């Protein structure tokens, strides 16, 4: 009889789902605003939705790193675990690496220092712009979300991270 590790059950998924549901409701409210207010155009929408999507990527990053800890009881070699994600063609990088890079970009984009090399390398592999003068229409957060969902449905990313967590448990 195989013994199941007590952390094998994904007790983190419910709080992630609740968080993402709340953020998606915020996006829906902004979409309504864009239909009801004539001066509220696409640029206003992007300016207001970008931080909401950025927060969601931080939630996904937390779920990813906490899942690694649940499985291995350490975050040593976490970057190797990010590579268990699905490879996104032509980039040489995985969807999990992209989530981590977008979360790091969002957290540090206003710092006076440059982004860390790993984050810059991943964003560059996806041809995402991250310099401080980047226009909102080319935001790494906005354009990065396009890799996961055409309609920017954050729940699509939940499936990505949930499936990736399952792969962790198959690792030796």
């Amino acid at each position: 009889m195989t013994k199941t590790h007590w952390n094998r059950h994904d007790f983190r998924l419910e709080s992630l789902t609740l968080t993402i549901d709340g953020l998606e409701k915020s996006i829906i409210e902004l979409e309504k605003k864009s239909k009801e207010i004539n001066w509220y155009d696409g640029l206003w929408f992007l300016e207001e939705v970008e931080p909401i999507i950025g927060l969601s990527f931080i939630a996904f990053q937390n779920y990813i790193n906490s899942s690694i800890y649940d499985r291995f009881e350490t975050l040593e070699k976490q970057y190797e675990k990010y590579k268990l994600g699905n490879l996104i063609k032509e980039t040489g990088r995985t969807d999990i690496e992209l989530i981590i890079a977008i979360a790091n970009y969002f957290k540090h984009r206003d710092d006076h220092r440059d982004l860390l090399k790993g984050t810059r390398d991943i964003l560059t592999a996806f041809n995402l712009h991250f310099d401080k003068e980047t226009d909102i229409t080319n935001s790494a957060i906005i354009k990065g979300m396009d890799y996961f969902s055409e309609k920017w449905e954050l729940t699509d990313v939940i499936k990505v991270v949930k499936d990736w967590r399952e792969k962790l448990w198959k690792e030796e």
Side-chain angles (χ1 to χ4, degrees):
M1 184 166 114
T2 305
K3 194 172 186 181
T4 302
H5 191 282
W6 70 274
N7 270 346
R8 178 67 178 92
H9 173 72
D10 190 357
F11 64 91
R12 297 181 186 282
L13 186 60
E14 182 178 5
S15 62
L16 175 66
T17 301
L18 288 170
T19 300
I20 297 306
D21 285 348
L23 293 170
E24 277 198 324
K25 286 177 185 171
S26 299
I27 294 171
I28 290 167
E29 286 303 312
L30 292 176
E31 288 171 342
K32 285 183 196 174
K33 188 175 174 181
S34 71
K35 292 175 181 142
E36 295 170 358
I37 302 172
N38 62 359
W39 59 263
Y40 189 84
D41 61 11
L43 290 177
W44 281 102
F45 175 76
L46 290 177
E47 290 284 351
E48 288 194 296
V49 81
E50 184 194 44
I52 296 168
I53 294 172
L55 286 171
S56 72
F57 277 92
I58 292 172
F60 296 130
Q61 180 185 46
N62 181 66
Y63 177 85
I64 290 165
N65 287 332
S66 296
S67 293
I68 292 169
Y69 191 84
D70 289 347
R71 174 63 177 92
F72 300 102
E73 296 182 359
T74 182
L75 288 179
E76 271 184 52
K77 301 179 182 179
Q78 70 195 55
Y79 302 104
E80 291 175 15
K81 307 309 178 204
Y82 300 159
K83 294 185 182 302
L84 293 175
N86 297 312
L87 196 64
I88 297 180
K89 52 188 158 181
E90 300 168 14
T91 67
R93 300 295 189 150
T94 69
D95 48 6
I96 300 302
E97 289 177 294
L98 179 57
I99 291 168
I100 298 297
I102 292 171
N104 287 337
Y105 166 74
F106 180 65
K107 291 186 297 189
H108 302 292
R109 65 186 178 165
D110 294 327
D111 286 354
H112 65 282
R113 295 170 295 179
D114 288 338
L115 293 172
L116 293 177
K117 182 181 179 336
T119 299
R120 288 192 323 261
D121 289 351
I122 293 167
L123 295 175
T124 300
F126 284 91
N127 199 29
L128 298 175
H129 302 282
F130 53 87
D131 61 86
K132 301 209 185 304
E133 303 305 316
T134 299
D135 183 82
I136 189 67
T137 59
N138 288 315
S139 160
I141 297 165
I142 300 295
K143 294 294 187 184
M145 186 62 198
D146 288 339
Y147 280 94
F148 297 97
S149 176
E150 285 181 27
K151 296 183 181 181
W152 295 353
E153 293 179 9
L154 300 174
T155 52
D156 290 345
V157 188
I158 289 176
K159 181 174 178 4
V160 169
V161 297
K162 182 181 173 203
D163 291 349
W164 169 84
R165 181 181 164 104
E166 284 300 310
K167 289 179 183 178
L168 274 184
W169 288 93
K170 293 177 176 138
E171 280 288 292
E172 288 298 322

